[in-house]
Amino acid sequence: MSLYSEKVMDHFKHPRNVGVIENPDGVGEVGNAKCGDIMKIYLKIENDIIADVKFETFGCGSAIASSSMATELIKGKPLKDALKLTNQAVAEALDGLPAYKMHCSVLAEQAIRSAILDYYTKHNIPFDPELLKACEHCEEDE
Amino acid sequence: MQVYADNAATAKPKKAALEEYTRVAEEFFGNPSSLHSAGQRAKEVLTDCRGRIANLLGAEENEIIFTSGGSESDNQAIESAAKFGRAKGKTKIISTAIEHHAVLHTLEKLKKEGFEIVLLPVGTDGIVKLEDVKKEVDEKTCLVSVMLANNEIGTIQPVEEIGKICKERKVLFHTDAVQAVGHMKVDVKALSCDYLALSAHKFGGPRGVGALYVRKGAPLYPLIEGGAQEKGKRAGTENLPAVAAMTVALEDSLAHLEETNKRVTALRDKLIANLKKIPHSALNGDPVKRLGGNVSFCFEGIEGESLLLLIDDKGICASSGSACTSGSLDPSHVLLAIGRVHDVAHGSLRLSLSEETTEEEIDYMSREIPKVVEYLRSISPVWRDLQEGKRTYIL
Ligand SMILES: Cc1ncc(COP(=O)(O)O)c(C=O)c1O
Ligand SMILES: [Zn+2]
């Protein structure tokens, strides 16, 4: 019996999409005020589609694995779908996370949202103000 | 390669202790409280063990009570002194910021019950200052509780001197010696303590058994009510096989103490020197006044749980004080107390060696750990910021 599911361990030990994108279209960095984990997302966007995504994470196994899984879930997807990604969906895709580790997976959701908002802002694209709420939340957490 | 470097959490049980456990469980299964011969034979073993443990600590046989381990011993010592103090209107307890939770949580509970709890700070070396103790001890003080050796950073506290201060001022003194007993010379007379807690699984005995030394005349009240075992101070049928195994483990540890410490300390210092070569890393706690087997580091820009899991994958078992390993989301209170900021404490690693640790294991850890640290830094946005000058290095 280990702390994490096999899937978490796989994504943690062999993270997908780890790294940086030079001249990204959007960048989001969020920190977890509670435990101190930090995650950064880089996006390349073409025709409202996430053409490429990379991440860097300072955090535990759960934070790294959820970063990896989240990037897999949004790569090649339309922005509007990526915005709907929840931490529950990330955790489910990882076959679950221990309850006290769920907060580490929230980072992925927030970092993606923050990167997309960065893209919208930089490119003067109007966006649903509801999204700003999520962003305030991110900043709060920094 | 498999390297068990988490002996401060639980040491591998000694063969002789396990053999003693089965021998006593098989041959002396009688209840020591029974009047028949099987019970009395078991009782003889119990008395014999008590005498031997007392002897190893420089105590009298009737000053040792057996408990379920370090936590219980700490709880009982503190609760007893507090109860005694309260009856005399003394409601101040002095301890330190780096105690084990077995002490800290008991103190928190007493605080809710109206006690004034003073937790002395430690320096960046992880050692409490005698002046601070002297300053705080007053007429209201019923107890001073200072650990002998810290479980996370291994620092050894000036308990002998603190004991003297307490004796002079006639204040009860408890020391949590759970990490020290079996690993350094511990003599209750030299420490001038009224209570001393120890736990068998930290020196090669079984888990779930320990002892509390209580100086003759010091107040002691039971935490567990019931039968008249342990002179009415600790009810419950004695865990005789475990007590016997603990006794053998302690005798064995102390019989080889000097040579073990010499060898383990040399290995410790080699590992420390090797890990120090990792840039932006720091040893936690005083480099000299520390347990022979304790190596505790912080590595800037990474988090400890991910480090633990990746070195575990390479066969190395260790522990961390990272917020992500605590379950409470806070990094270790010990690392914060020595001045490590949250981000730095997040990247902590404790390797605790034993007499079985080999040179090859040290070399293996010295080779593998830096690789994992480097890898985790390569995927860390914090490390990138540090490298690009967007954040300033702390270590
Ligand atoms: C310093 C210290 N005190 C108390 C304890 C608690 O001991 P036990 O696990 O035997 O209850 C430990 C062990 O975790 C310890 O390291
Ligand atoms: Zn985490």
Side-chain angles (χ1 to χ4, degrees):
Chain A
M1 185 51 206
S2 66
L3 171 64
Y4 294 129
S5 71
E6 263 177 46
K7 214 153 197 182
V8 173
M9 286 311 285
D10 176 40
H11 274 264
F12 164 57
K13 285 196 240 167
H14 312 285
R16 297 21 161 201
N17 306 310
V18 69
V20 288
I21 295 176
E22 298 299 331
N23 308 313
D25 296 314
V27 184
E29 178 171 319
V30 296
N32 191 311
K34 289 182 210 136
C35 71
D37 287 352
I38 295 174
M39 180 182 173
K40 192 167 182 178
I41 288 270
Y42 304 83
L43 297 175
K44 195 87 207 158
I45 293 168
E46 284 163 17
N47 304 322
D48 275 352
I49 293 206
I50 297 177
D52 198 11
V53 49
K54 296 271 190 224
F55 81 88
E56 291 178 313
T57 293
F58 162 77
C60 58
S62 157
I64 292 173
S66 33
S67 309
S68 166
M69 178 53 88
T71 57
E72 264 207 336
L73 291 173
I74 62 163
K75 197 167 171 175
K77 298 278 159 60
L79 286 178
K80 63 173 186 354
D81 290 359
L83 280 169
K84 284 186 208 136
L85 184 76
T86 64
N87 71 311
Q88 279 91 349
V90 174
E92 265 168 43
L94 287 167
D95 293 340
L97 285 169
Y100 76 102
K101 285 285 180 179
M102 278 303 284
H103 75 275
C104 301
S105 69
V106 181
L107 276 185
E109 170 194 330
Q110 293 177 344
I112 288 169
R113 217 162 279 191
S114 150
I116 296 175
L117 284 167
D118 178 55
Y119 165 73
Y120 284 154
T121 317
K122 271 191 198 149
H123 297 77
N124 288 319
I125 301 169
F127 53 85
D128 182 353
E130 269 299 291
L131 295 172
L132 261 178
K133 264 194 202 152
C135 200
E136 273 163 19
H137 182 55
C138 298
E139 276 161 9
E140 223 172 71
D141 267 3
E142 276 198 84
Chain B
M1 190 170 201
Q2 294 297 315
V3 186
Y4 185 71
D6 202 15
N7 290 281
T10 285
K12 187 176 153 195
K14 290 174 189 285
K15 260 227 158 59
L18 294 178
E19 281 165 13
E20 179 69 352
Y21 186 97
T22 14
R23 186 184 75 86
V24 171
E26 276 171 8
E27 289 178 31
F28 301 94
F29 57 83
N31 188 322
S33 300
S34 299
L35 291 181
H36 49 61
S37 51
Q40 290 307 299
R41 266 186 280 130
K43 186 172 181 172
E44 262 175 45
V45 176
L46 188 67
T47 309
D48 176 55
C49 289
R50 203 186 304 282
R52 283 152 71 193
I53 296 263
N55 188 40
L56 294 170
L57 298 172
E60 302 290 319
E61 185 204 309
N62 58 10
E63 293 177 315
I64 301 295
I65 73 161
F66 295 122
T67 68
S68 68
S71 300
E72 185 184 333
S73 296
D74 281 334
N75 273 257
Q76 191 169 4
I78 295 168
E79 294 273 9
S80 294
K83 182 171 176 176
F84 186 74
R86 175 158 27 210
K88 300 185 148 195
K90 295 184 176 190
T91 53
K92 178 173 168 182
I93 300 176
I94 299 163
S95 189
T96 79
I98 61 166
E99 298 298 310
H100 189 271
H101 284 143
V103 168
L104 289 181
H105 290 173
T106 306
L107 295 178
E108 265 168 42
K109 179 180 157 233
L110 289 169
K111 189 174 180 175
K112 285 190 197 122
E113 293 173 10
F115 280 84
E116 181 195 352
I117 307 296
V118 177
L119 296 183
L120 301 175
V122 293
T124 50
D125 58 358
I127 295 174
V128 70
K129 293 184 180 59
L130 288 177
E131 305 90 79
D132 289 343
V133 180
K134 280 185 198 152
K135 240 182 276 163
E136 282 294 344
V137 178
D138 58 16
E139 295 79 58
K140 301 261 323 171
T141 310
C142 62
L143 174 70
V144 174
S145 179
V146 177
M147 70 199 322
L148 186 43
N150 181 266
N151 46 305
E152 291 186 41
I153 58 174
T155 49
I156 294 166
Q157 306 301 318
V159 164
E160 214 175 301
E161 291 82 350
I162 296 172
K164 279 203 193 92
I165 297 169
C166 294
K167 200 172 174 180
E168 253 166 45
R169 315 252 184 118
K170 297 191 170 58
V171 171
L172 290 169
F173 177 47
H174 166 58
T175 186
D176 173 345
V178 169
Q179 289 289 333
V181 170
H183 302 284
M184 55 189 271
K185 218 175 154 347
V186 174
D187 182 290
V188 293
K189 297 284 178 322
L191 298 179
S192 316
C193 57
D194 297 287
Y195 309 93
L196 180 144
L198 65 91
S199 182
H201 72 113
K202 308 291 187 182
F203 52 78
R207 286 165 283 197
V209 64
L212 176 63
Y213 157 80
V214 187
R215 184 187 51 76
K216 202 181 298 161
L220 189 70
Y221 306 102
L223 289 182
I224 300 172
E225 302 288 351
Q229 292 92 350
E230 304 297 304
K231 286 187 269 123
K233 303 302 184 188
R234 205 281 182 180
T237 301
E238 303 86 344
N239 190 351
L240 188 61
V243 165
M246 163 166 76
T247 308
V248 166
L250 188 56
E251 278 173 348
D252 188 73
S253 300
L254 296 181
H256 309 111
L257 185 66
E258 260 179 55
E259 52 181 284
T260 303
N261 266 347
K262 212 169 138 194
R263 216 179 57 78
V264 175
T265 304
L267 292 175
R268 175 199 75 186
D269 289 342
K270 183 177 179 187
L271 184 56
I272 290 175
N274 287 337
L275 294 180
K276 261 198 182 152
K277 289 182 199 149
I278 297 175
H280 307 288
S281 66
L283 177 72
N284 296 313
D286 192 278
V288 180
K289 291 178 195 152
R290 67 191 300 129
L291 288 169
N294 178 287
V295 175
S296 168
F297 265 85
C298 281
F299 303 108
E300 197 164 7
I302 65 167
E303 186 280 327
E305 188 213 72
S306 50
L307 177 59
L308 274 195
L309 293 172
L310 290 180
I311 64 173
D312 185 31
D313 213 39
K314 293 172 181 276
I316 303 168
C317 295
S319 77
S320 169
S322 143
C324 289
T325 57
S326 69
S328 71
L329 304 182
D330 292 319
S332 139
H333 62 281
V334 177
L335 296 175
L336 296 178
I338 62 167
R340 299 285 183 230
V341 299
H342 192 121
D343 272 11
V344 169
H346 214 36
S348 66
L349 179 70
R350 179 189 71 182
L351 301 155
S352 42
L353 317 179
S354 80
E355 78 250 33
E356 290 195 17
T357 307
T358 64
E359 190 97 32
E360 289 71 44
E361 291 177 347
I362 297 294
D363 292 342
Y364 181 71
M365 291 191 281
S366 304
R367 215 169 36 241
E368 297 303 326
I369 293 169
K371 285 189 220 162
V372 175
V373 171
E374 193 178 317
Y375 162 70
L376 285 171
R377 282 176 170 174
S378 78
I379 68 167
S380 162
V382 172
W383 184 250
R384 170 177 302 282
D385 285 353
L386 289 165
Q387 295 257 289
E388 292 175 356
K390 292 177 193 154
R391 270 173 192 260
T392 37
Y393 290 105
I394 297 162
L395 300 182

